[in-house]
Structure formats: C-alpha cells, structure tokens
Amino acid sequence: MQDTVNMAESEFDEEEEPPFSDQEDFVDDIDDEELLEDVLRERPLEADGIDSVVLVDNVPQVGPERLEKLKNVIHKIFSKFGKITNEFYPEAAGTTKGYIFLEYASPNHALEAVKNADGYKLDKQHTFRVNLFTDFDKYMNISDQWETPEKQPFKDFGNMRHWLEDPDCGDQYSVIYESGERTAIFSNDPKEPILVEERARWTETYVRWSPKGTYLATFHQRGIALWGGEKFKQIQRFSHQGVSLIDFSPCERYVVTFSPLMDTKEDPQAIIIWDILTGQKKRGFHCESSAHWPIFKWSQDGKFFARMTQDTLSIYETPSMGLLDKKSLKISGIKDFSWSPGDNIIAFWVPEDKDIPARVTLMQFPSRLEIRVRNLFNVVDCKLHWQRQGDYLCVKVDRTPRGTQGVVTNFEIFRMREKQVPVDVVEMKESIIAFAWEPNGSKFAVLHGESPRINASFYHVKSNGKIDLIKMFDKQQANSIFWSPQGQFLVLAGLRSMNGALAFVDTSDCTIMYIAEHYMASDVEWDPTGRYVVTSVSWWSHKVDNAYWLWTFQGRLLQKNNKDRFCQLLWRPCPPTLLGQEQIKAIKKDLKKYSKIFEQKDRLSQSKASKELVDKRRLMMEEYSRYKDSAIQLYNQQRELRLELRGGVDTDELDSNVEDWEEETIEFFIKRILISRYFRKNILCTREIFS
C-alpha cells in the first residue's frame, strides 16, 4: 500500500506543470469595464470637493445685527437635505451680498438641496434660486453654435391595447403555476381558456397588471420589467436590487418600487419613483417600514401623491416630484388618510387628545381648503372606505360609549356631491367582519355578528337623506364581500377557514341566486365586465387541491382548471369605457335589435368545435358545392345519351316519389361581424342581466 502511494507521488512529481503564461502573439481584448463591471461601478469618482457646494441666490441682505438670525434660518431650511460642513456669506459695505455658498458632506445631499429648495419662498420678497456650483462651468461653456439634437429611433412595440380588439370580447388573465416556475396569459372563453402566451421563469415571485391593463410587471432580483403589445415584448425595465413591492400611478405614467436592501442615509433608494415612458428615475425616498403598502397614495388623476409620517402629511406633485407649495402639512397625531377616487380630495382622521375630540377632515387640493370636518367622541379606531366613483365616503368608527361595555360601530356616511357634505349615521352593536360599497351605485353591504351567526345586511343610501336597510340574510358562512365591478351582483365568500362557501346575490331584489362551495378557496376575482368570477385555491396558502374555477355571475360553474401548484390568477384590467351614459341607455333600449346576432353566435359557441374546425367545415362545404354543381352539369349533358342507350325510356324519373323526400337544413358559420368591444360588452352584460 505504501509502495503504491509512493509510486503515485513519484508519477505526479515527474508530470510537467502546465504553462500559465500567455503566448507571444496573445492579444488581451477584454477591457476592465467588461471584466470588472460590478466592481468598477462602486469605484469612487474623482472629485475636487466643489460638487458638494450649492449657491443660494435671492437671500435677504442683512447687517451684522441680523446675520446670526439669518444663518439660523438658512441652516434650519437646508440642513434637512444633509449635513452642512461649511457656510460662506459674502459681504460688501457691512451687509451680505444676497447670495451664499453651502458645502454638504456628500454630493447627493447637494443634489437633494437643489431639487427641493429651488423656488422655496422665504417671504414675499425673497424666493430662493438654488444651483450646484459645478453648473456654472457648464453654463459658461455653452457653445454659441446651435447643434440639432440627435434624433432617437422610434421603438414600435405594436398595439398596446390589442386585446380590446378581440372580436369575441374575451378578457385576458395571468396564471402563475408550478410554484412560480411557469407564467401564462389566457384569453377567457366559457368552454375552455385559450392560451395567448406562456413562458418559463418569466417572474421570480409574482406579477402585477397596470391599472388600465397596458403593462404586465414581472419581478426579478435586479429589478422590474414591463411587458406589453401583441407578443408581450419587453417595454421597459427598472434596475432596483432586491425589489419586492411595486405600485402604479392611476394614469400609468409612473411606477413606484420598494426594496429593503438599497437604502442608505446619504442616498435614499428604498423607494424609487420611475417614469414609465423614459425609464428614468424621478426621485428616491427613505422608508422605515413597508408594513402599510403602498407608502405613497396617488390622487385619481396621478397629479399628486401623498405620504404620511409621524404628525406630518406630505403631498408631492408631478412631474417635479417636489413638495406641494414647498411644505408639508403638520397634523398632530394623524393616523390614516385616503384620496377620493373621483376628486383631488384627501380624507384623514386624528384620534382624541385629552379634551379634544377625534375628527375626520376632508381637504381639497391643491388649495388645501377644508371642505368638511366631523368631530367624533369615545373613538377606538376609524377606517376610511370610499365608493369607487367618489360619491360617498364611509368612515367606520369603533367607539366605546360612556357607561357601557364593549365596542359599538357607527358608519358615518358622507354625501360628497351635496352642498356642505351632509353626514348620515348607521349604528351597529355587533362586531363588523367586512364592509364594501357597490362600485357603481349607492348601496353597501356589511357582514356582522359572530360565527356561526353571521349576518349579511344590505343598505341603500337614498337621495332624500335616508339610509334604508333593504335586506338581511342571517346565518351566513361568509367572511368576505366581493362586488361585481359593474355593481348589482356580489359574492359572499367564506374563504380559508370557512371552507370556501359561496353565495351569489342579486341586490336589485336582494335574492340569493345560488349557493355553492369551492373547498378551501383562498381568492375570489371578478372579471372586468362583471360577467364571470373566478374562485381559486392558491399553492401559497394551501398545498393541495390547487386549481381555479370559472363561474357565471349567477353562480353556474363553467370550468374547473387544475394546475400543478397553482399560485395566482389576475384578470387584466380594462381602461374606462368610451361609451357615455346616453349611449349605454340606447343600447339597453335597442337590445332586441342586436340580440339575434349574438344568439346565433352563442349557438355556435355552444358547440365544442373550435374556430379552426368551423373554418375547415366551411371549406369542405364549399368544395362539396363545387363538386355537386359540376356533377349536375355533367348529368344534364349526358341525358340524351342515356335516352338513346335505353331505347327512349326516361329512367331518371322511374321509382321517384317526391312526397317521400326529406329536407334537411344545415347551419354553419360563414361571416364574422366585428363590433366595438365596449359596445358589445355592454350589450352582453345587459342581455345577461335581463335574462
């Protein structure tokens, strides 16, 4: 054994060492940028210190007796953006010259000062103009010769709203399955889903649709990618290491990303706001916690976004991303706020403080005008619920009345479209499980009580200032309310712990249309038209029976789609309809005029034959017709020959009895009539509702 080891070592020693030196004619064509890109990216840039200096103009000119006070004011304003290491106030004839120099500890702090303090109004006579000191060289070296900017090539991503042109008006939805390994886009069909696109490892966690359905966002370790167009090409990408949460502005112009890995004191990168069209970073923010996402809440038109911190409500405006009027609102004790979905109005509430009652305030922007204040007493907690059109605001107030035990809930209903915003109150002494407004209407639903005696109550806010209880269903197995996007219909669902009990309700007459069950269902998703609803069991919450089921709004089960380790289904949103109220009324009035077209189409769709099979049958029928015509023509041409061969006897008419013939009519699809998606969807929805 020892001899074997020695012999092996001897052979190894005698083996020549491989050469590691380059050959004489070797040329190294790999530069440092390619080889060490990630290392060089972190390399400090050369600087002489002046890139941390800002020049502030339009500063008050003061003498020695007021100089110290001016320095304190300046330091208080500009120290918000970072540590100031040096200040210089030029003087002439015993007074300051009206401009100063401030040096920060970091160039990033100087940039923040320029972004946020430029245009700051100190008083009526003095508005600051703030510039980087290094910008002066750039402005001094501007060429006198005009150079035409280089024209950038146009990137054609195709029709970004192509799915709206589907002649069958099938809505799309995304599905993640195989524990996130595969992502697919399907077009909805009552018989079976039609695959549009499918990719492996398209996203690393989950996906999000933009508010109008234009973009599909996928998550990756290095950032976010947006996809769209007919073939779902990559439209834009945003580099944000470790991104975990995103939020879109309602106008789809901006996207907000959050990463817990990137934040530093000098350079805020936890939250970044991006311009979707250009891909540029608009601004970064610090974030202490993402427990209440989204951190920023957007106004309905995307012109403003707001953030709440301790005793402060900050409203920013786009596209500058700066504070509105250069200052935040100081609201002592503010607990929560929410934008109206229909107007640039913010509702916020403040708890009680000693002898000062709690209050709910409605404030209009950008004027900051308080249009309504409601004082509340003995308040434990408040929740703000806007109706989707912004016509009503419900403030759910939990309070403990004096001299009683337990919690009583009041629903404070603000009528936003009426003068002075009157408030109605609905009191409930049972615990509240869920509350939800009808999206396009004035009704709301409430789940209240304790299991197993859970009640579902439906209320109607009338124009005469009254709130009527329409109906109450007792002993319901439900813990969630899901309204149809078009209103009128809803699903009362008992998710997770209630084993997926489902009740389909028509609130026009408050009747339960159907009761069903999807065992262990974890999610309920309505399609944008309100014609279909999906219930699903996600692998993220339950490891067996992972599938999604498709139902009609009346509760009829259409499909059971089992997917291996199914995770998530999201319907693709649609932009607001282009039809006005008068056009919708006209469609309802002339419904019978269009019904025949769709009834014929529906009869064809009831067959399992696909479009390809229908086309194949049509071609076969056309080929048969051509053959039949040619055969009849040949038959007629040979008539004289047949008579001659058969001695003048017309055998064509022998044994023929026309009365015994049977006539059979065959229908098949020959022509496709294209109708506007919005136009047809309103007809379909109206027809199904009336049926």
Side-chain angles (χ1 to χ4, degrees):
M1 181 70 179
Q2 185 66 30
D3 294 341
T4 305
V5 173
N6 293 337
M7 184 174 67
E9 291 178 353
S10 175
E11 291 177 356
F12 180 80
D13 293 339
E14 292 176 359
E15 185 178 356
E16 294 184 2
E17 184 179 10
F20 292 99
S21 59
D22 296 329
Q23 299 177 4
E24 293 183 2
D25 58 346
F26 175 77
V27 178
D28 187 0
D29 58 352
I30 303 178
D31 56 15
D32 291 344
E33 293 293 336
E34 182 179 354
L35 189 63
L36 302 171
E37 180 182 1
D38 54 342
V39 177
L40 294 177
R41 194 182 301 118
E42 305 296 330
R43 178 179 57 185
L45 300 176
E46 295 183 4
D48 53 9
I50 62 173
D51 52 351
S52 300
V53 178
V54 298
L55 171 65
V56 185
D57 206 355
N58 293 337
V59 178
Q61 298 181 4
V62 298
E65 67 282 357
R66 298 180 59 193
L67 180 59
E68 192 63 29
K69 183 178 180 180
L70 176 64
K71 288 184 177 182
N72 291 336
V73 172
I74 294 294
H75 191 273
K76 182 178 180 181
I77 295 172
F78 285 89
S79 61
K80 296 177 182 177
F81 313 115
K83 182 180 179 181
I84 299 175
T85 60
N86 195 11
E87 303 177 18
F88 179 59
Y89 290 74
E91 297 181 8
T95 61
T96 58
K97 289 187 174 182
Y99 60 88
I100 62 173
F101 297 91
L102 301 176
E103 182 179 0
Y104 283 93
S106 166
N108 293 324
H109 297 164
L111 285 172
E112 285 294 310
V114 173
K115 289 180 182 178
N116 295 282
D118 186 38
Y120 181 90
K121 190 173 183 180
L122 183 64
D123 52 39
K124 293 182 179 180
Q125 290 80 28
H126 301 92
T127 300
F128 292 156
R129 302 300 304 175
V130 185
N131 291 282
L132 291 172
F133 187 77
T134 52
D135 286 344
F136 282 90
D137 288 338
K138 179 177 68 175
Y139 298 144
M140 292 297 293
N141 295 327
I142 294 178
S143 174
D144 295 334
Q145 299 295 325
W146 165 255
E147 294 182 6
T148 305
E150 183 179 351
K151 188 176 181 179
Q152 298 296 322
F154 173 71
K155 294 182 180 180
D156 186 8
F157 297 110
N159 184 359
M160 298 296 288
R161 292 188 174 179
H162 70 286
W163 85 97
L164 299 177
E165 298 179 353
D166 179 10
D168 295 327
C169 300
D171 283 292
Q172 293 184 354
Y173 56 84
S174 63
V175 173
I176 298 177
Y177 61 101
E178 291 186 6
S179 65
E181 286 295 310
R182 301 195 69 83
T183 303
I185 310 296
F186 291 97
S187 180
N188 183 40
D189 184 85
K191 289 298 178 184
E192 58 180 355
I194 302 170
L195 181 64
V196 177
E197 190 75 23
E198 184 176 22
R199 298 177 189 176
R201 294 178 293 278
W202 199 351
T203 182
E204 295 181 12
T205 52
Y206 60 102
V207 300
R208 277 281 306 272
W209 292 102
S210 60
K212 298 179 182 178
T214 308
Y215 307 105
L216 176 71
T218 58
F219 289 71
H220 310 273
Q221 181 61 30
R222 294 187 177 182
I224 295 293
L226 298 186
W227 312 79
E230 298 178 14
K231 299 298 182 181
F232 285 93
K233 296 179 181 178
Q234 188 177 102
I235 307 299
Q236 199 62 265
R237 56 182 178 179
F238 310 99
S239 179
H240 198 183
Q241 191 77 14
V243 62
S244 59
L245 298 169
I246 67 169
D247 184 42
F248 286 92
S249 65
C251 59
E252 292 190 338
R253 181 62 191 273
Y254 307 102
V255 62
V256 186
T257 60
F258 167 77
S259 171
L261 307 178
M262 299 296 291
D263 208 16
T264 60
K265 292 183 179 179
E266 294 77 17
D267 187 15
Q269 298 237 16
I271 301 176
I272 298 179
I273 300 180
W274 307 86
D275 188 307
I276 291 179
L277 296 180
T278 64
Q280 294 180 348
K281 173 184 173 181
K282 300 296 291 185
R283 186 172 176 184
F285 294 88
H286 292 295
C287 180
E288 292 76 22
S289 171
S290 62
H292 300 285
W293 184 261
I295 302 296
F296 291 104
K297 298 179 182 180
W298 292 87
S299 63
Q300 48 87 25
D301 55 6
K303 292 183 178 179
F304 305 99
F305 59 98
R307 177 184 189 180
M308 182 185 70
T309 54
Q310 186 174 3
D311 299 333
T312 303
L313 181 62
S314 302
I315 295 91
Y316 301 84
E317 56 185 342
T318 60
S320 66
M321 303 297 163
L323 274 172
L324 180 64
D325 296 334
K326 307 298 179 183
K327 58 182 178 181
S328 300
L329 285 169
K330 298 297 181 183
I331 306 172
S332 179
I334 182 171
K335 283 291 185 181
D336 193 16
F337 77 99
S338 180
W339 285 96
S340 164
D343 306 277
N344 288 337
I345 295 174
I346 280 183
F348 63 87
W349 79 278
V350 177
E352 294 179 82
D353 183 15
K354 298 179 181 178
D355 296 332
I356 302 175
R359 70 182 187 277
V360 175
T361 304
L362 298 175
M363 184 174 290
Q364 197 170 42
F365 288 91
S367 64
R368 306 196 185 204
L369 175 67
E370 290 187 356
I371 59 176
R372 188 68 162 89
V373 177
R374 175 79 167 175
N375 291 328
L376 305 168
F377 298 90
N378 305 316
V379 174
V380 177
D381 191 21
C382 286
K383 298 293 182 185
L384 307 173
H385 301 277
W386 285 98
Q387 187 250 13
R388 195 172 70 177
Q389 306 299 322
D391 297 336
Y392 305 98
L393 168 66
C394 173
V395 182
K396 173 181 168 290
V397 183
D398 296 329
R399 51 165 55 117
T400 53
R402 293 179 180 176
T404 61
Q405 293 183 350
V407 176
V408 175
T409 299
N410 283 6
F411 294 112
E412 308 271 341
I413 309 296
F414 291 71
R415 300 172 180 266
M416 299 299 299
R417 305 303 179 195
E418 299 180 25
K419 290 184 178 180
Q420 298 180 349
V421 191
V423 180
D424 301 315
V425 181
V426 176
E427 183 176 346
M428 305 195 75
K429 296 183 179 180
E430 294 180 307
S431 60
I432 305 301
I433 299 171
F435 172 95
W437 280 104
E438 181 182 20
N440 295 327
S442 54
K443 296 191 286 287
F444 61 88
V446 184
L447 291 177
H448 53 95
E450 299 287 346
S451 183
R453 298 188 62 86
I454 295 176
N455 303 319
S457 297
F458 300 91
Y459 292 86
H460 182 207
V461 182
K462 293 191 172 182
S463 57
N464 60 4
K466 294 183 179 180
I467 300 179
D468 289 347
L469 174 63
I470 307 173
K471 185 79 173 180
M472 185 178 74
F473 299 122
D474 59 355
K475 297 182 179 179
Q476 294 297 305
Q477 284 186 292
N479 53 20
S480 303
I481 304 169
F482 298 94
W483 280 94
S484 162
Q486 305 303 324
Q488 183 177 346
F489 303 100
L490 61 79
V491 174
L492 299 175
L495 302 180
R496 297 178 177 87
S497 61
M498 290 190 174
N499 297 329
L502 305 170
F504 295 81
V505 182
D506 182 356
T507 62
S508 62
D509 53 3
C510 282
T511 56
I512 296 179
M513 299 181 291
Y514 197 74
I515 294 178
E517 179 181 291
H518 185 177
Y519 182 69
M520 293 307 294
S522 57
D523 300 282
V524 176
E525 297 281 349
W526 281 92
D527 85 313
T529 66
R531 297 170 61 202
Y532 303 100
V533 62
V534 165
T535 60
S536 59
V537 180
S538 173
W539 183 79
W540 291 335
S541 60
H542 196 63
K543 300 304 180 185
V544 295
D545 299 329
N546 304 130
Y548 67 91
W549 294 2
L550 181 71
W551 313 72
T552 67
F553 68 93
Q554 297 164 322
R556 181 162 58 92
L557 181 61
L558 300 176
Q559 300 173 19
K560 290 184 178 181
N561 295 289
N562 297 314
K563 290 288 185 183
D564 180 31
R565 290 165 291 167
F566 163 82
C567 297
Q568 180 196 48
L569 182 146
L570 289 178
W571 288 96
R572 187 172 193 172
C574 287
T577 178
L578 301 177
L579 298 178
Q581 290 299 321
E582 294 300 323
Q583 292 173 299
I584 294 175
K585 288 181 181 178
I587 291 173
K588 292 180 179 180
K589 183 179 178 181
D590 300 334
L591 186 61
K592 292 183 179 179
K593 176 181 176 182
Y594 310 104
S595 293
K596 294 181 180 179
I597 301 173
F598 300 117
E599 284 172 1
Q600 182 182 5
K601 188 80 179 284
D602 290 343
R603 285 198 302 270
L604 292 171
S605 67
Q606 289 174 2
S607 170
K608 292 185 178 180
S610 63
K611 179 180 179 298
E612 291 77 10
L613 186 56
V614 170
D615 291 341
K616 183 179 178 181
R617 288 175 177 174
R618 179 177 56 80
L619 292 173
M620 292 174 65
M621 191 66 183
E622 291 175 354
E623 184 179 353
Y624 167 74
S625 298
R626 287 193 297 269
Y627 170 75
K628 185 184 75 171
D629 292 341
S630 63
I632 291 174
Q633 185 179 2
L634 179 63
Y635 177 80
N636 293 331
Q637 290 174 354
Q638 295 175 344
R639 178 179 174 80
E640 296 298 329
L641 180 60
R642 288 195 303 274
L643 288 172
E644 182 181 347
L645 292 173
R646 295 169 185 172
V649 179
D650 187 1
T651 58
D652 295 346
E653 301 297 331
L654 294 178
D655 299 327
S656 61
N657 190 348
V658 179
E659 295 179 357
D660 293 336
W661 289 2
E662 293 183 2
E663 183 176 319
E664 183 177 350
T665 303
I666 300 175
E667 286 188 9
F668 58 89
F669 186 74
I670 358 185
K671 186 177 181 182
R672 182 182 296 271
I673 300 176
L674 297 180
I675 298 179
S676 164
R677 175 184 176 89
Y678 295 113
F679 182 67
R680 182 171 185 264
K681 276 199 173 180
N682 280 279
I683 295 176
L684 291 174
C685 293
T686 307
R687 186 183 65 185
E688 292 191 10
I689 291 171
F690 287 167
S691 64

